[in-house]
Amino acid sequence: MVTGRSWLVGLGFRTPCGRLVRHFYVVDGMAGPARAHEAALERANDPSERAAHANLRLDDGCVEMRRVLRDSLGAWRLSTPSPWTT
């Protein structure tokens, strides 16, 4: 379910040849970006998730955070991307 406190978190992973691949996670019910980032990392580090993505190496410097928003007419949209710094 997507609520007013939902986030789209993009995490960057590196292939063995160094190519950047992004995986996106919708995280619901998080009050702020730090908690949303933490929840997305937990999902990405789940053994079944890692196996599904060939155990790619996480690139900590490549994170994108977007709020999932609903306007007054009920249309869904994403906020502008904001880079995440650790």
Side-chain angles (χ1 to χ4, degrees), residues 33-34 37 60-65 82-86:
H37 179 250
D60 293 335
C62 189
V63 178
E64 179 182 319
M65 304 289 294
S82 58
W84 177 261
T85 55
T86 54

Side-chain angles (χ1 to χ4, degrees), residues 2 6 66-72 74-80:
V2 177
S6 296
R66 291 182 181 234
R67 292 283 308 267
V68 179
L69 305 167
R70 197 167 198 181
D71 66 19
S72 59
W76 293 100
R77 65 181 180 83
L78 295 173
S79 68
T80 58

Side-chain angles (χ1 to χ4, degrees), residues 4-70:
R5 296 186 335 171
S6 296
W7 296 83
L8 180 69
V9 182
L11 301 176
F13 294 85
R14 294 283 173 184
T15 65
C17 65
R19 185 172 150 217
L20 179 67
V21 177
R22 288 200 185 234
H23 296 262
F24 289 88
Y25 299 88
V26 175
V27 182
D28 189 42
M30 300 297 154
R35 294 286 300 141
H37 179 250
E38 190 176 296
L41 283 175
E42 286 177 18
R43 284 190 198 169
N45 284 319
D46 180 83
S48 62
E49 180 75 9
R50 291 187 57 79
H53 298 293
N55 291 314
L56 296 178
R57 180 176 51 89
L58 180 65
D59 184 337
D60 293 335
C62 189
V63 178
E64 179 182 319
M65 304 289 294
R66 291 182 181 234
R67 292 283 308 267
V68 179
L69 305 167
R70 197 167 198 181

